Structure formats: C-alpha cells, structure tokens
Amino acid sequence: MNQLLENTLTIDGQVVPFSAGQTIMDAALAAGIYIPHLCHKPELKPHGSCKLCTVDVDGRSMSACTFPASQGMQVANNTPALTEVRKTLVQMLFVEGNHLCPTCDKTGDCTLQALGYHLGMLDGHFPPFYPRREVDASHPDLILDRDRCIMCGLCVRASQQIDGKNVFALSGRGAQNHVIVNSPSGKLGDSDLNKDDLAAHICPVGAILPKNHGHEVPIGRRTFDLHTVAESDIATFNLHKTEHHDD
Amino acid sequence: MQQLLQGEPCPDQAVNGLMPHLLHQLHAIQQQYRYIPTQQSKQVSETLQLPLAQIESVIDFYSFFTRTPRGQYTLLFSNCTSCGDLALMRELCQLLKVEQGITRTDGLVSIDETSCIGMCDHGASLLINDRVIAHLDSTRLKQIAEYIESKTPLDQWSPELFSINTQIYKKGLLLEQPLEQGSALTAAFKLGSDALIQTLKQSGLRGRGGAGFTTGMKWEFCRQAQGAQHYVVCNADEGEPGTFKDRILLTDHAHELFEGMTVAAYALGAQQGYLYLRGEYRYLVPHIQQVLTERRQQQLLGQNILGQQGFTFDIELVVGAGAYICGEESALLESLEQKRGVPRIRPPFPVTHGYLGQPTVVNNVETFVAAAHIVSKGANWFKAHGTEQSAGSKLLSISGDCTKAGIYEYAFGVTVQQVLDDCGASDAQAVQVGGPSGTLVHRKDFGRQLAFEDLATGGSIMIYGQQRDLLKVVRNFTHFFAHESCGFCTPCRVGTPLLRKYLDKIEAGHGTAYDREEMARLAKLVKKRSHCGLGQTAANPILDLLEHFPHVCEQRLLHQEYEPFFNLDAALETTRQLSHRDDAEAHLA
C-alpha cells in the first residue's frame, strides 16, 4: 500500500497509473493489461452492456469500461472466479442467438468466438433459445444477419459518434432486443450506410458483413489464428481495419 | 372517490390536456386504430422531430403498444399473485370464443395478460380500454361477455362493475391528519431553502420507493449541482407487484403530493416538475389534472406562488405505457425523454445529470407527501416515530391470503407478525415483503421488523397461506422479471429467461438436482453482475426459496442424473395443431 503513488490504482496487485476522467478500462488498456470486453472500443463512448469487463472493485461488481478510476482502488480482474463469470456470460451470448461458427464468414475474426477460446469455453452449456430473427440483405454491399447479433450497440455508436449518421438503433425489450435500421422502410438498403463507414466494419461478430467478399483469407490465417484476443492493441487494430490485415 | 373517477369518460382525447410527448401520441394512435400503423409512426416522427428508429424502438419496448390490431374491447388480465387469476382469463376466452393474444376475427375483442395492475386489494382484476374492473368472478365474466357481444359502449355498462372502494385499515402519521393546502409552502418560505433542507435531513426521511436514500441529502446534492435548469420528478410508476399505496395517495392526497413537489422546487430552485404515472393508472388522469388546475387557480402553482416573488413552478403529467423498469429512476428519466426505458450508467447520478442532463430530484409519491408534512410540522414530529435508522411511518399495501386486504400505515419497526395479526392472516406460511424484488420471509422469521435496517420495503406485502404452492408463486415472479427485463445487459437479458426455463422445468416435474444447482449458480450471477436494480433483485425469489424452503423445490425433482430440456412430446405440438389432432395417439406416452 505504501508504494502507491498519487493517481494510481491496483489491478490484481499491479500498480497502474491513471489520469483524471479515465475509467478502469482506460487505465488498464494504457498499461497493457487485458480486461475481457465485447461492447467496448476505446474511441467510442462506453456502453457497459455486455458485462464481460466485469471486475470486482473492493469486493463490489463493476463494469471496468464505465466505472471511473480512483485513487487507491483495488481491482480484481484476472481471477479464476471472474474467468468463470465471463465464460458463463459468453455462453449466455452464444445460446441467446443463432451462432453457427463453421458456416460463418467471421470465424477466426470473431471476438465472441475468440473470447470463448480465451475463457476456456467448451460448450454452450445452457438450453439454446433458437430465436427467429430477420436477415436484411437489401444493401448492395453489406448484409445484416441478426442471428449473430449480441446487442453490443457498437454499430449504433460508431454510426452516431464517428460516421456522423444515425443508421442503427437497438429496439424491443428483454429477450426480444434487436437491432433496427433507421430508414423509412426499416431496410439497410434504404439507409445512408456506406461500406466505408466505421459502422459497417465494427461488428465484433458476424452480424454486419461485407457482401461479395467471402472466405478471402483462409482459415488458419485469420486474426485470432495469428493473435490472441488478449493483445491489448487488438481493439485498435480491428477498429481501423478497412481491409484484411493479410492484404 | 375512486368510484366517481371511474365513472368519468376515459380520456379518448388523451393528448388534450397532456403535454406533447411520444408516449401520449402513441397512446392516442393506439386508441384510434387499436394498433400503431407504420404510416402513423412516420407522422409522429415528423411532428415530434424524432428519428423514426426512436419511434419504432419505443413502440416495441412498451407493452401497451402493438403492431397488430387489438379488439374494440381490449382486455388485459393482471397476472399478479394477488390481483390476477388466469383461470378466469381462460374462462372469459371460452365465453367469447377468443384465443389469448389473438384478436377475434370480427375485431371485436382481444384478451391477454399483463403484469400487476395494482388492484391487489380487490382480488382478480383486469384493464378494459384503460379502465379497471375488479372483484372478478364467473358472474361478472358472464356480464362482461354479454356487454361485449352486444357491443354496448363502456359508458353504458353497469357502473357497479367499475367501482373500487379502497379500505384504509390503519392510519398513521401521514394519513391521520391531512395537511392544509399551502401550509407546507408557507412554512418552507419562512424557513428558506437552506433551513428547509436541514429540516429534512434532521427528520431522517429516507426514500419511500425502497432504496432508502436520505431525502435531504438528495435535495442538497441536487441544489449544489450546476445546471441551466433543475427539475423535480415524481416517480408514480408504482409497478412492483403487490403495491397500490401510491394509487391511494394519488387519489386522496394528490394536493399533499404536489405540495411536496413544490416545496422541493423551492428548495432546489426548479421551475418545472413532472409526475410520471404508470399507464395502468391512466384512469386517474382526469382527477390529477383537476387537482393541478385547482392548485393553479389557488396560486399554489404557476408564477409567484403564494405571492412569493420570482418563485415560479409548474407540473406536467407524463403517462407510461406498461414497463416496470421505468420505476428505476434513470430508466424513468429516459422514458420522460421519449426513449426506451433503459437504465443509465451511474455515475453520474440524476442529482447532477438527470432529466435532459440537468440536476434532477426523483422521489417516490410517498416521499413527497412525507416531505410536505415534515416541512409543515417539523423534523422532531417525524423523527419521534419509527426506529433510529428508519424514521417516521410507512404505508403498506397488504394483499394475498388475509381477510382485510388494504392500506395500513405503521411506524417503522413493526414486526411482520403484528402486521399479519392486524390484517387477519392467521395461517400464513410465508410473506413476500417488498414485492418480488424484496424478500420471501419464512414463518419462523415473522418476528423480523419492517425497516431499512432489517426488511426494507417499498410497501408491498403479499401473504401466502398454507394452501399456496410457493414454487408456483416464485415461478410467477420469475416470469415477471423475464417479461420486464429491459434487455440492456447480458446477465439480465439472457439470465432471466434462462432462470424461467429452469424453474418451468422443475415445476413441470422434469428437473433434476443438477438443474437446481445450475439454476442457483445462474441466479447468483444474475444478482451480482446485472446492470441495475431489476437484474440485481430478479433472482431473489429463487434464492430465497432455495434457502428457506428447500423442500418445496426438492419434492419436485426427478431422482436421476440428467434430464434434457428438450421435450419430444411438446415439440410435436405444432404438428398436432396443424393436423387438428389431440387424441391419445398424437401424443407420446
């Protein structure tokens, strides 16, 4: 304790500096510490919904991406108990939607899948929901497959905060939550989404994918075949990707 | 009083008199078309200058809005354990030859269920086109069916059907002596805002919604917060099953409520207040509007209130549309801002960043009423009652297996046993204190006290006699939370439907010890890791049941290692329906 400097907190016993206004996640990323997350991207306003970044702060459960860092805070992150919690949350996300990795073009590039491996998930564990969700193939360059959506709201925020548009919104309640398109017909083809928008690329799963570009990178050479999801710059790396890193 | 109100015409012209608000516009459209046509949502989008996706997302969030036409007579049966009886709903469905949730082909009638409508002291109840019919039984159902088949307008139905006589069995600090109109305001002006907040702090008043934050501190934090405007918001979204005490306060003590809100406005320097009323209480709108009009005429609202130069304050009414989550204060603010009721990330708290990002005090109906009394009568008057940590009195809504269901006002610290003795509940096996989100109390613990430091409660007391199947009760609560989860965070959005699946399986006699353990593990995760109070309390009924009534679950379990969720016979149901068969050979043994 006595070695704590001003504006520092500890994560799993490691002293980490922070500056005013930073969240626990900001401080951790800056220090190269990985806190698992799905709905967070450093350049967007935090959402705090996926709860993968759940940490225990002085014994209380907090979302690292939204909770402000403060002096002397003791954060438990990489513990067996939290790994178990996060694995359960990933399993819950899998059974809630319709995730068929072998047929999904996102396999190997999918953060949900990568987190499953990272957390030692071996099965979906819970009874699957098999929801009926609409596919929207109306856009010339992009496809919206809601079966794979995890309600992280990254496309909603990217469109509003980076692209200066308002293409997506989360709708419905409870288990009926779903992403909708802000256009007169509710169809993606009717919206002003452009294939170069960040919202078109930011999906951590395979819910928004480019058309006409299937399986260009062979399995075995995809993002998470070459990197682990725990590499702290992976979020930034994915965020700026407009074409595949192999190209 | 309520009898009178029920007789008045329902606000068809809902938008008239109510401020322009997305929820009000959508309600008016729903009344006109009996659903929300896409063309209409586009028009609303233009009128209110809101993105179309916002309109669409709101329609899909609030359960009173639909995208397919409901009947000219739209009936919603409460499914609460106190004011609900779904056997009666099925009976009426048979009488009217209509299937639950599917509008009859002639468009005359639709029947469905809804979460608790706050009529728990009146037995089985329903909403019909925004009005309430209580005390349901087979005779009443026949009467209702005849009126509907003969297309009799609601106004010509026997007024007796709509009568509601709420019993107040025990009056205490607040109900005993009504406050003279304007007296709290006069006292407030004399004290000045600093001393007024000090008085509230000294009184020990804590929020009556259940969380129990010290009211004086909340007002002080808000007063100190910088902002272009300060707002006063009253949370009248009384949605916790088993609670109906705010209904009585709104009916008989609305002046005291508005006086409390006006005192708050004076303390904070606020000019605008909002009363957020749950949609189930829409029938109270004309009455509340009338009280507001009277107060404006009496200079108790408006400009230079009671001649106090520069003190201007008014109150608008906003009516919800069927969403329990909007009782959570930050979700309520989102709803006020014409959005889905999704709880915000905290910090920041509403006292600094509330309605439209401005400093806002959100308090429960009862809290404002108590604040008005305290400012008028002094901190010591209040603090002399209750316990050290829970000053004053609490209104309880008592329902379930007892002879005298109704309103009781006790000083804090009263034991569960005392309450049961007073309301005529001699054979209770358990009491749900604080509604489904509260605590299931076992008979051996009836000596515990109702107080923030022991059993906290927003006022719901549901009593379960020896004949009740507690597993069914807990299943009801678990279904309730799964239905009301806003779906924002993973633990609650996915966890509450999963808990529902496990409990359904166990209740149906298909669960094993392994299912029970998995359900318990999941319940703890949902409780600890969810975003807001709904998720953090949604698993309480299951956890309480497993802790205090383990045998109730145990005796339903299969004594084998594993039983799959998949039920082949149930999976054949669609096929049976399509082939119009339900004979023995269409079922698996």
Side-chain angles (χ1 to χ4, degrees), chain A residues 56 61 96 125 172 177 182, chain B residues 53 322 340 486 490 493 518 529:
Chain A
D56 286 331
S61 184
E96 179 196 25
H125 193 78
N177 254 259
N182 188 35
Chain B
R340 300 194 306 156
C486 80
T490 312
R493 183 183 69 243
E518 280 300 293
R529 308 297 174 179

Side-chain angles (χ1 to χ4, degrees), chain B residues 34 70-75 107-111 128-129 147-154 157:
Chain B
R34 289 176 275 126
R70 285 190 176 159
Q72 286 169 43
Y73 297 91
T74 299
L75 291 85
L108 186 67
V109 58
S110 59
I111 298 178
I128 177 162
N129 298 1
Y147 278 133
I148 290 175
E149 291 291 16
S150 62
K151 299 180 187 168
T152 311
L154 275 183
W157 290 26

Side-chain angles (χ1 to χ4, degrees), chain A residues 47-51 54 56 61 66 88 92-93 96 125-126 129 150 170-174 177 180 182-184, chain B residues 42 52-53 57 60-61 322 340 345 483-490 493-495 514 518 521 528-529 531:
Chain A
H47 200 229
S49 63
C50 76
K51 300 297 173 196
T54 291
D56 286 331
S61 184
T66 57
T88 306
M92 289 162 87
L93 288 169
E96 179 196 25
H125 193 78
F126 299 109
F129 289 16
I150 55 169
L170 288 171
S171 182
R173 181 164 105 189
N177 254 259
I180 59 169
N182 188 35
S183 69
Chain B
K42 281 175 190 158
L52 185 57
S57 70
D60 283 340
F61 188 86
R340 300 194 306 156
I345 288 161
H483 180 256
E484 298 296 342
S485 167
C486 80
F488 171 73
C489 73
T490 312
R493 183 183 69 243
V494 190
Y514 173 72
E518 280 300 293
R521 182 174 75 91
K528 187 158 186 201
R529 308 297 174 179
H531 174 68

Side-chain angles (χ1 to χ4, degrees), chain A:
Chain A
M1 282 299 281
N2 50 9
Q3 56 179 333
L4 286 181
L5 308 164
E6 209 176 321
N7 276 1
T8 60
L9 52 83
T10 67
I11 300 180
D12 296 330
Q14 183 184 336
V15 177
V16 173
F18 69 88
S19 51
Q22 277 191 322
T23 60
I24 297 171
M25 179 69 83
D26 296 334
L29 285 174
I33 295 173
Y34 176 64
I35 301 176
H37 55 274
L38 269 171
C39 72
H40 183 68
K41 293 280 181 198
E43 293 174 23
L44 301 175
K45 223 177 125 200
H47 200 229
S49 63
C50 76
K51 300 297 173 196
L52 260 290
C53 72
T54 291
V55 288
D56 286 331
V57 178
D58 302 318
R60 290 180 65 198
S61 184
M62 296 292 173
S63 301
C65 71
T66 57
F67 203 70
S70 71
Q71 176 60 32
M73 192 180 246
Q74 310 241 3
V75 180
N77 169 41
N78 190 11
T79 67
L82 281 170
T83 298
E84 189 59 30
V85 166
R86 291 165 181 160
K87 185 177 87 180
T88 306
L89 290 171
V90 170
Q91 288 170 325
M92 289 162 87
L93 288 169
F94 266 101
V95 298
E96 179 196 25
N98 297 312
H99 298 276
L100 305 164
C101 299
T103 64
C104 178
D105 197 33
K106 192 80 170 188
T107 187
D109 289 324
C110 169
T111 315
L112 181 70
Q113 185 192 43
L115 269 166
Y117 283 116
H118 179 74
L119 297 165
M121 173 183 147
L122 297 175
D123 65 351
H125 193 78
F126 299 109
F129 289 16
Y130 298 126
R132 288 184 183 202
R133 296 181 180 167
E134 261 179 60
V135 174
D136 181 346
S138 60
H139 196 282
D141 302 317
L142 297 156
I143 185 155
L144 172 59
D145 185 346
R146 293 183 176 88
D147 275 343
R148 300 161 184 163
C149 177
I150 55 169
M151 269 50 87
C152 69
L154 278 172
C155 57
V156 179
R157 285 173 284 153
S159 182
Q160 289 171 351
Q161 295 166 25
I162 306 288
D163 301 333
K165 300 180 182 178
N166 186 21
V167 175
F168 297 104
L170 288 171
S171 182
R173 181 164 105 189
Q176 275 71 50
N177 254 259
H178 59 282
V179 70
I180 59 169
V181 176
N182 188 35
S183 69
S185 62
K187 295 287 183 205
L188 205 54
D190 215 8
S191 75
D192 55 353
L193 183 68
N194 185 291
K195 69 174 170 17
D196 296 323
D197 291 345
L198 182 59
H201 293 267
I202 202 166
C203 184
V205 291
I208 303 172
L209 281 177
K211 280 183 173 174
N212 317 316
H213 291 275
H215 289 273
E216 281 176 342
V217 179
I219 289 170
R221 289 173 59 206
R222 297 188 175 190
T223 309
F224 296 113
D225 298 325
L226 307 173
H227 303 267
T228 92
V229 71
E231 287 171 44
S232 61
D233 59 346
I234 204 97
T236 326
F237 172 71
N238 272 342
L239 190 66
H240 292 300
K241 186 180 70 174
T242 50
E243 54 185 355
H244 204 275
H245 64 98
D246 273 10
D247 297 341

Side-chain angles (χ1 to χ4, degrees), chain B residues 423-436:
Chain B
C423 70
S426 48
D427 83 327
Q429 60 166 322
V431 177
Q432 186 74 31
V433 174

